[in-house]
Amino acid sequence: MPRPPFTELIASLPSTVPFVGPEALARRRGRPFRARIGANESVFGPSPKAIAAMREAAEHVWMYGDPEVHDIKVAIAAHHGVGPQNVAVGEGVDGLFGYAVRLFIEPGMTVASSLGAYPTFNFHVAGFGGRLVTTPYREDREDPEALVELAAREKARILFIANPDNPMGTWSPAERIGELIGRVPEGTMLFLDEAYGEFAPEGTLPPLEVANPQVIRFRTFSKAYGMAGLRVGYALGAPEVILAFDKIRNHFGVGRIAQAGAIAALADQAYLGEVIAQVKAGRERIAAIAEENGLRAIPSATNFVAVDCGRDGAFASKVLEGLLARDVFVRKPAIAPLDRTIRVSVGTRADLDLFAEMLPRALAEARGR
Amino acid sequence: MPRPPFTELIASLPSTVPFVGPEALARRRGRPFRARIGANESVFGPSPKAIAAMREAAEHVWMYGDPEVHDIKVAIAAHHGVGPQNVAVGEGVDGLFGYAVRLFIEPGMTVASSLGAYPTFNFHVAGFGGRLVTTPYREDREDPEALVELAAREKARILFIANPDNPMGTWSPAERIGELIGRVPEGTMLFLDEAYGEFAPEGTLPPLEVANPQVIRFRTFSKAYGMAGLRVGYALGAPEVILAFDKIRNHFGVGRIAQAGAIAALADQAYLGEVIAQVKAGRERIAAIAEENGLRAIPSATNFVAVDCGRDGAFASKVLEGLLARDVFVRKPAIAPLDRTIRVSVGTRADLDLFAEMLPRALAEARGR
């Protein structure tokens, strides 16, 4: 017998996925990459203490993780000087975006973002029937003032901004984000994605004002804490908003190893400091490589650098293909004018040596075509 | 400024959670449990090879897991003799229930289940606005014929049944489930929860007919494979249904350690066989303890046993409280008449020794009140 139909919304969604993983590319190519510097992962990995905690927890994985995620909430709250009631923990920021969009968006409602901003957020907006409206980046930066005006004009239920930004790596100072927070229109929630916040210079993250019910801030253990494959992110906000996640979240979704690893990583701030210093040096190296090749690196406050290839998106795509063919996994933004860049994550010295070796060849090939 | 409202549906949902974890109970009590035999976890843990794989993967957790979950899909498909296009992998069966309900249920649509069946499934039905209709258990078993009639009468979009069942541990033979599959009404999807399937006697699980677009079968690495804290489950079904999960799932949600552990566990079927034998012996021990105390153990095809305390739900609750107070974590069904039982998971010898020691005291106390 035929199956019942999917919901109208589901039927309308494409089967595309937000990102193709390097594993899928490697399968198609038939060989692995030699440098994996395309997914903004941290090659420096997590604290050795976090690895030890995960290895230890693997022995106890027959037990569900605490569904109330108590200990990790308490640790995060203490770290930020807020209360556990201000913290929701979920399966990465991606998972939390899904829940957070679902809390506020009914089909047809509007969400304001920047043209070319984080695709997985847009995936969840579409997944719950939201209508995305955008304003362009301005000089490769998200434009807080234009976003506020857009949200007000379109009566957006959610306004999304990342600071620092992905895919460009640019950032606004805390004062400017603070002004944005002060101007969020009535009827709008601000989703402030700070996944790369730990990498940013002092004065980038505005103070946490968790009493403000209009703002949810998103943080992760995937980037600076070096555990993208663990899936732990958290949201900070007002208790009434945080509590609502409990109405819909996958209560056992953050498992035993994940909780143990995240708690141990958070406790080792000295290691985090070392990673941040190494990432800064790596960004400088990528910028130097770009300059050696006559290209401009866009200043970044993240663990990646968008390198302006100097022509249009088609040209940058050729450069990207040339690098992929030479076993260097990088990615690039999909939407103009951001798509004139390739996005290179900070790698090990060996990763960046390979990038330095292959970039001129990829450029020559792209120019010669 | 005030925040925008939650969606109408979210506003209508309670903030209750499906289960209170033993960690939360331990925090309230101020001390840990001595026997953790209430959450149907596998005290025997996963294969040592799976533990080794997870420990090894912890070193590489800086990388996202493959978002296409390719290798694990291929392994699961080979194990069951189906194609990778018949397999969706997600954050435990709980996570997959969320996605699967979302594929089919718009607010107001009807879902048919048994009165007292798996609460987390009901949580997701409510979370997407579904209307739950139920038919009672019949002699402590889900009643396939009554469920089909209910689904037809109520024009249910989803019919849910677990075989073997949770919370009672009872089961129907494959032929009876096969008849149910043959009679699923037009316009209805059958969600067949086989989370405990590996424990069941031969002849319990009907053949996989993955061409049938009306059936999704759910399996997990949380129970027999001993990795509840890892969060890996999978759904088996027709390619058109399986593909739809990609429209909405958290693509990086099953992380690197999770994929590595599940692949290694699946490969060690010899270990699985040992666990199943130990669980069978443990069930017999629980039944013997029940009998020593003049109680009846309901025959089970799972890793837990529902012990009929012989009176009503209030009495069984007193027995439960007596066990909790004596450091034995068990649970019980919430809904009559199932609630006259306590549900005891198979534990280690020491766990069941403690249960044997404490059950008579808890019973005496309950009778004396």
Side-chain angles (χ1 to χ4, degrees):
Chain A
M1 235 185 289
R3 65 163 170 80
F6 297 122
T7 71
E8 233 178 276
L9 174 57
I10 295 291
S12 75
L13 295 174
S15 278
T16 52
V17 301
F19 287 109
V20 177
E23 293 83 2
L25 294 176
R27 281 190 295 272
R28 282 180 216 161
R29 291 155 26 99
R31 67 179 193 278
F33 290 102
R34 289 172 59 202
R36 180 171 165 134
I37 49 175
N40 304 345
E41 298 158 330
S42 178
V43 293
F44 308 108
S47 158
K49 291 173 188 166
I51 293 178
M54 289 183 277
R55 289 172 60 94
E56 163 69 18
E59 313 271 351
H60 306 290
V61 78
W62 63 271
M63 290 181 275
Y64 286 104
D66 175 11
E68 300 187 13
V69 287
H70 176 273
D71 293 351
I72 181 172
K73 270 191 178 184
V74 168
I76 291 167
H79 177 70
H80 288 297
V82 300
Q85 71 279 10
N86 300 117
V87 183
V89 182
E91 302 95 329
V93 165
D94 285 357
L96 287 165
F97 280 155
Y99 297 134
V101 168
R102 185 175 159 197
L103 290 180
F104 290 101
I105 294 298
E106 302 187 42
M109 286 181 176
T110 300
V111 175
S113 180
S114 304
L115 183 62
Y118 190 50
T120 306
F121 175 74
N122 300 348
F123 167 83
H124 289 300
V125 170
F128 290 103
R131 183 179 72 96
L132 192 72
V133 296
T134 59
T135 187
Y137 279 60
R138 191 184 174 95
E139 294 174 352
D140 297 322
R141 281 175 177 71
E142 293 199 75
D143 186 339
E145 294 77 20
L147 280 166
V148 163
E149 282 160 29
L150 177 71
R153 191 169 62 242
E154 296 275 1
K155 301 195 190 315
R157 181 56 55 101
I158 298 171
L159 190 172
F160 176 87
I161 187 169
N163 190 51
D165 169 64
N166 176 16
M168 300 309 278
T170 49
W171 71 102
S172 290
E175 297 71 34
R176 197 168 171 200
I177 299 295
E179 278 167 31
L180 166 66
I181 291 172
R183 291 180 56 205
V184 174
E186 192 175 336
T188 300
M189 285 295 294
L190 176 66
F191 285 13
L192 177 52
D193 177 2
E194 297 176 323
Y196 296 93
E198 293 86 0
F199 296 117
E202 215 169 317
T204 302
L205 308 182
L208 285 171
E209 287 162 354
V210 286
N212 184 342
Q214 278 189 291
V215 181
I216 309 178
R217 294 166 74 156
F218 295 89
R219 306 283 179 98
T220 186
F221 288 94
S222 296
K223 304 300 176 186
Y225 288 102
M227 303 190 293
L230 196 63
R231 313 317 302 133
V232 188
Y234 57 100
L236 300 169
E240 66 191 71
V241 173
I242 293 301
L243 193 63
F245 283 88
D246 278 344
K247 295 183 171 194
I248 56 171
R249 70 185 176 91
N250 182 8
H251 285 266
F252 290 91
V254 181
R256 199 151 198 101
I257 300 174
Q259 294 187 36
I263 289 171
L266 191 68
D268 194 350
Q269 292 290 312
Y271 182 85
L272 181 74
E274 288 168 32
V275 167
I276 291 168
Q278 285 180 290
V279 165
K280 184 164 180 291
R283 283 197 308 256
E284 288 163 6
R285 174 93 199 274
I286 294 169
I289 295 167
E291 200 174 336
E292 284 161 21
N293 287 274
L295 306 181
R296 190 175 75 91
I298 293 168
S300 167
T302 66
N303 67 342
F304 61 87
V305 178
V307 174
D308 187 339
C309 291
R311 300 194 196 173
D312 63 1
F315 178 75
S317 289
K318 284 183 194 166
V319 177
L320 182 87
E321 283 162 27
L323 288 167
L324 292 174
R326 289 171 177 82
D327 296 343
V328 178
F329 169 63
V330 293
R331 282 203 177 112
K332 66 186 289 298
I335 291 178
L338 314 182
D339 67 344
R340 73 189 194 286
T341 68
I342 57 171
R343 200 192 63 176
V344 184
S345 309
V346 169
T348 61
R349 179 183 297 264
D351 291 334
L352 296 186
D353 285 349
L354 190 70
F355 175 64
E357 181 186 342
M358 298 306 178
L359 180 61
R361 301 188 202 175
L363 276 169
E365 191 174 70
R367 285 175 182 140
R369 270 193 210 170
Chain B
M1 238 188 286
R3 64 164 171 80
F6 296 123
T7 71
E8 234 177 276
L9 175 57
I10 295 292
S12 75
L13 295 174
S15 277
T16 53
V17 302
F19 287 108
V20 177
E23 292 83 2
L25 294 176
R27 282 189 295 271
R28 283 179 217 163
R29 294 155 24 98
R31 66 178 194 278
F33 290 102
R34 287 172 61 201
R36 179 169 165 136
I37 49 174
N40 304 344
E41 298 157 330
S42 179
V43 292
F44 308 109
S47 158
K49 291 173 187 166
I51 293 179
M54 289 182 277
R55 289 172 61 92
E56 163 68 20
E59 312 270 352
H60 306 290
V61 78
W62 63 271
M63 290 181 275
Y64 287 103
D66 175 12
E68 299 188 13
V69 287
H70 176 272
D71 293 352
I72 182 172
K73 271 191 178 182
V74 167
I76 291 167
H79 177 70
H80 288 297
V82 301
Q85 72 279 11
N86 300 117
V87 183
V89 182
E91 302 96 329
V93 164
D94 285 357
L96 287 166
F97 280 156
Y99 298 134
V101 168
R102 184 174 159 197
L103 291 179
F104 290 101
I105 294 298
E106 301 188 42
M109 286 181 176
T110 300
V111 175
S113 181
S114 304
L115 183 62
Y118 190 51
T120 306
F121 175 73
N122 300 349
F123 168 83
H124 289 301
V125 169
F128 290 103
R131 183 179 72 98
L132 192 72
V133 296
T134 58
T135 186
Y137 280 60
R138 192 184 173 93
E139 295 174 352
D140 297 322
R141 281 176 176 71
E142 293 200 74
D143 186 340
E145 294 76 20
L147 280 165
V148 163
E149 282 160 30
L150 176 71
R153 191 169 64 242
E154 295 275 1
K155 301 195 189 316
R157 181 57 55 101
I158 298 171
L159 190 171
F160 176 86
I161 188 170
N163 189 51
D165 170 63
N166 177 16
M168 299 309 278
T170 50
W171 71 101
S172 290
E175 297 71 35
R176 198 168 170 202
I177 300 295
E179 278 167 32
L180 166 67
I181 291 172
R183 290 181 58 206
V184 173
E186 192 174 335
T188 300
M189 285 295 295
L190 175 66
F191 285 13
L192 177 52
D193 177 3
E194 297 176 323
Y196 296 93
E198 293 85 0
F199 296 117
E202 214 169 316
T204 302
L205 308 182
L208 285 170
E209 287 162 353
V210 287
N212 184 343
Q214 276 189 290
V215 181
I216 309 178
R217 295 166 74 157
F218 295 88
R219 306 283 179 96
T220 186
F221 287 93
S222 296
K223 303 300 176 185
Y225 289 102
M227 304 190 294
L230 196 63
R231 312 318 300 133
V232 188
Y234 57 100
L236 300 169
E240 66 191 70
V241 173
I242 293 302
L243 193 63
F245 283 87
D246 278 344
K247 295 182 172 195
I248 55 171
R249 71 185 175 91
N250 182 8
H251 285 266
F252 291 91
V254 181
R256 198 151 199 102
I257 300 174
Q259 294 188 36
I263 288 171
L266 191 68
D268 194 351
Q269 292 291 312
Y271 182 85
L272 182 73
E274 288 167 32
V275 168
I276 291 168
Q278 286 180 289
V279 165
K280 184 165 180 290
R283 283 197 308 255
E284 288 163 6
R285 174 93 200 275
I286 294 169
I289 295 167
E291 200 175 335
E292 285 160 22
N293 286 277
L295 307 181
R296 190 174 74 91
I298 293 168
S300 167
T302 66
N303 68 342
F304 61 87
V305 177
V307 174
D308 187 339
C309 291
R311 301 194 195 174
D312 64 0
F315 179 75
S317 289
K318 284 182 194 167
V319 177
L320 182 87
E321 284 162 28
L323 288 166
L324 293 174
R326 289 170 177 83
D327 296 344
V328 178
F329 169 63
V330 293
R331 282 202 177 112
K332 67 186 290 296
I335 290 179
L338 315 182
D339 67 345
R340 72 189 194 285
T341 67
I342 56 171
R343 200 192 62 176
V344 184
S345 309
V346 169
T348 61
R349 180 182 297 263
D351 291 334
L352 296 186
D353 286 349
L354 191 70
F355 175 63
E357 181 186 342
M358 299 304 179
L359 179 60
R361 302 188 201 177
L363 276 169
E365 190 174 71
R367 286 177 182 138
R369 270 192 209 173

